[in-house]
Amino acid sequence: MSAIADPVELAGAAASGAAPLLTVRGLRAQYGSTQVLHGLDFDVAARGITTILGANGAGKTTTLRAVCNMVRTEGQITLAGERIDGLATENVVRRGVAHVPDGRGTFLNLSVEENLRLGAYTRRDRDAVAPDYERVYGYFPRLKERCKQQAGTLSGGEQQMLAVSRALMLRPRLLLLDEPSFGLAPLIVRELFSILRTINERERVSILLVEQNAAMALDLADQAYLIETGRVVLSGSADEVKRNDAVRASYLGY
C-alpha cells in the first residue's frame, strides 16, 4: 500500500461521546536504538471500540505492546485516570488490560480448558472464575465441545477464538486485539467480528483493535486512527475515516 501523500487529521471525540478509558499522549517506543513510535496521541472511549490502521511496519503491533509496557517507551498512558506507563506488564494486566497478540499466543500443548484457566490467573475473585467458563463458552460454543482437546489441534479460527476467550477470562476493562483476522477465512472473520461487537455491548469492554482488514475494522469501530511510520496521520470517527478519499484509495480498494 502506498503512503498517503497529504495526510489530513480529523478532530473529534469518540462517536459514543463517552469519556476516555485509555488516554495516550506523546507515546514513543523503540527496540534497542531503533525508534518505532514518534509521539502518538490517541484515546479509547469507555465501552467504545477504537481501531488503529496502517500498513505493515507502521507501528501498530508496537503500539499495543507499548500500552502493556512490553517495549521501551516514553510518554503518558492513563487508564481510568491512573497513570500506567512505567508499570510492570503484569501490573498493567492486573488493572484489567488483556492483550491478544498477533499469532494468537495460545499454549498449544495445553487443553482449551487449561488455556482458559491461565487467562484468569491474576484474578482474586476465585469463586467467580468457574461460572465464567460457561460465560465464555456462550460466545464460542465450539470451544466447549473441544474443552479437553489440545489447543494445537484446533483450526486457525478456533485458536483465535480461544485467544479471545482466554483474554475474557481476565474480565478486562480494555481488550487489546492484534490482527485477529490474520490467516482466517472470510466467513470466520465475519463471525469473529460479530462476536466482538456482542462482547463490547454485553460486557461493556473497551476494545483497541489493530487490524489490516480496514473495511472490517472500520465497520466495527467507533473511532479510528491511521498511523504511518510511527506517527498518526489521520484520526476521527470511523465513519469520517471511511469516507476519506486517501483511505478509500489506499486501504479500502476504491
Side-chain angles (χ1 to χ4, degrees), residues 28-217:
R28 300 175 183 272
Q30 63 190 76
Y31 299 99
S33 61
T34 304
Q35 188 161 332
V36 178
L37 304 182
H38 302 271
L40 298 190
D41 295 344
F42 64 89
D43 297 329
V44 180
R47 307 177 187 178
I49 302 176
T50 293
T51 187
I52 295 178
L53 307 174
N56 284 333
K60 305 185 302 297
T61 290
T62 299
T63 300
L64 297 190
R65 292 176 178 169
V67 170
C68 295
N69 203 25
M70 298 170 68
V71 295
R72 183 178 170 186
T73 62
E74 298 177 10
Q76 182 173 314
I77 305 173
T78 305
L79 180 73
E82 178 188 7
R83 290 281 295 269
I84 62 170
D85 49 281
L87 292 181
T89 299
E90 59 267 28
N91 291 326
V92 175
V93 172
R94 288 190 175 96
R95 281 159 175 77
V97 179
H99 182 201
V100 180
D102 59 337
R104 300 171 190 128
T106 52
F107 294 92
L108 301 181
N109 293 325
L110 299 181
S111 70
V112 168
E113 189 173 291
E114 288 167 337
N115 268 273
L116 295 181
R117 192 177 304 133
L118 283 175
Y121 83 100
T122 62
R123 286 176 55 177
R124 297 177 181 175
D125 56 338
R126 293 298 176 187
D127 292 341
V129 170
D132 278 352
Y133 289 103
E134 293 304 318
R135 177 179 64 90
V136 167
Y137 288 145
Y139 293 120
F140 302 105
R142 269 177 283 178
L143 296 182
K144 185 173 184 178
E145 298 169 6
R146 295 160 172 74
C147 65
K148 302 300 182 184
Q149 189 171 323
Q150 196 175 38
T153 65
L154 301 176
S155 70
E158 289 165 347
Q159 286 189 33
Q160 186 64 71
M161 292 173 184
L162 177 57
V164 173
S165 297
R166 192 182 64 199
L168 289 178
M169 289 297 294
L170 178 67
R171 279 201 171 267
R173 292 190 284 178
L174 176 63
L175 185 60
L176 310 180
L177 295 168
D178 194 349
E179 303 280 7
S181 74
F182 180 77
L184 302 183
L187 185 63
I188 300 297
V189 173
R190 286 193 293 272
E191 179 185 0
L192 178 61
F193 274 58
S194 176
I195 293 169
L196 290 175
R197 180 176 296 283
T198 301
I199 289 169
N200 166 253
E201 293 171 351
R202 288 186 186 172
E203 309 274 338
R204 299 179 176 181
V205 176
S206 298
I207 296 175
L208 178 58
L209 170 68
V210 157
E211 183 55 68
Q212 276 200 311
N213 187 333
M216 292 292 296

Side-chain angles (χ1 to χ4, degrees), residues 238-254:
D239 285 340
E240 288 174 315
V241 172
K242 193 187 304 184
R243 292 194 301 267
N244 180 271
D245 289 340
V247 170
R248 287 166 61 84
S250 295
Y251 292 90
L252 298 179
Y254 291 102

